[in-house]
Amino acid sequence: MVQYVSSRSLLLSTLLFMVLQPYSTTALVTYNVVNLGAKGDRLTNNTKAFLDAWAAACGSASPATIYVPPGRYLLRNAVFRGCNNHAITFRIDATLVAPSDYRVIGDAPNWLDFQDVTGLSIIGGVLDGQGIGLWACKRSGQSCPSGATTLGLTKSNNILVRGLTSLNSQMFHIVINGCDNVKLQGVRVSASRQSPNTDGIHVQLSSRVTIIDTQIKTGDDCISIGPGATNLWIENVACGPGHGISIGSLAKDLEEEGVQNVTVKTVTFTGTQNGLRIKSWARPSNGFVKNVVFQHISMVNVQNPIVIDQNYCPRQENCPGQVSGVKVSDVIFEDIHGTSASEVAVKFDCSSTNPCSGIKIQDIKLSYRNKAPQSLCTNARGMASGFVMPVSCL
């Protein structure tokens, strides 16, 4: 038997269902920097408008978006400090421009600095550090400021940076310092191969950092990993020009936190000075490097494809001339292939008092001018397996 329900009864039932259901809705609040006085004309100083937008987002009880519409927005150095709102998104459809006079921000540690922030997303946008003038100053030998890092993430947690481009930073492009749970995805870094100290991404004193789907072209390390970096995952990265991916330099200080649980996979190095490198100064230190995996790596005309250097001293100036106290252990190099630009494709130059141990190389195929290159080992202990060229020195 079919039962029919009147439209009035159906309406009452629907209303009763909605009233009884436990639900909540959270409105998303958007703050457009233009409505707060910003102008994307490359000339107006927009620092106050951006900080006002940050303050408004911090004051919101709901998730908030700071929106930057198309244009070129001039900003001086700014610090965005953490607040009670743990769901703020910076959505940038524009280019943020540093002052063309490098002296304006040249002595600041960071141009744009997010400190003690939790739950931040930075989506899209271009950051133009306009560092070319400072690079020229440094090359001339004049007295110059050290330069500002373009983007600093400091003592912050649960951070996403996606689709961001960093151009011509004065110093480092992105620094992750003292953070937990940071993800960089689809980031692009670009600077001249002659640009000094312009590391693409630097990580230190941080845990659970992920860097994926990223392209870096710069004048220094594409990615540098400093003391206290743990549980770091790097995957699908294109590096070059640049100095490669480096753990270190370490042993700058006697008391120094170690580096551990680092995975670097599916990376292509093109025309870089180095490929995979671990470097430490030859001086006492209680630091260490352990549990590192390098795998599925392509080298294209790389000067030094695989390096452990515990006598690091760039330009051979003021070298400490001592012995590195950093202990390097349990490092795996697996499935690495391509071309070396020098005759020595693998070099393990380890500490005489703290020899490298647990070094494993597997399935390595590197060539130099269509012939087998060399490998050199000093104070390095480990094993080789699978096809290995150059012939292992372990």
Side-chain angles (χ1 to χ4, degrees), residues 160-180:
L160 170 65
V161 179
R162 188 175 67 210
L164 178 73
T165 297
S166 177
L167 301 177
N168 298 331
S169 181
Q170 290 188 354
M171 275 276 285
F172 292 9
H173 287 261
I174 300 172
V175 170
I176 301 168
N177 180 22
C179 297
D180 178 65

Side-chain angles (χ1 to χ4, degrees), residues 145-209:
S146 59
T149 287
T150 287
L151 175 63
L153 303 173
T154 308
K155 296 180 180 179
S156 297
N157 306 310
N158 306 332
I159 307 296
L160 170 65
V161 179
R162 188 175 67 210
L164 178 73
T165 297
S166 177
L167 301 177
N168 298 331
S169 181
Q170 290 188 354
M171 275 276 285
F172 292 9
H173 287 261
I174 300 172
V175 170
I176 301 168
N177 180 22
C179 297
D180 178 65
N181 191 26
V182 177
K183 182 177 183 179
L184 274 58
Q185 181 175 18
V187 169
R188 299 290 180 266
V189 168
S190 182
S192 164
R193 69 169 61 243
Q194 282 80 39
S195 57
N197 304 117
T198 52
D199 290 33
I201 301 169
H202 178 73
V203 183
Q204 66 179 31
L205 300 173
S206 298
S207 63
R208 299 193 297 162
V209 175

Side-chain angles (χ1 to χ4, degrees), residues 119-137:
L120 169 70
S121 297
I122 301 174
I123 309 298
V126 177
L127 307 181
D128 186 352
Q130 298 216 90
I132 295 174
L134 180 58
W135 308 340
C137 177

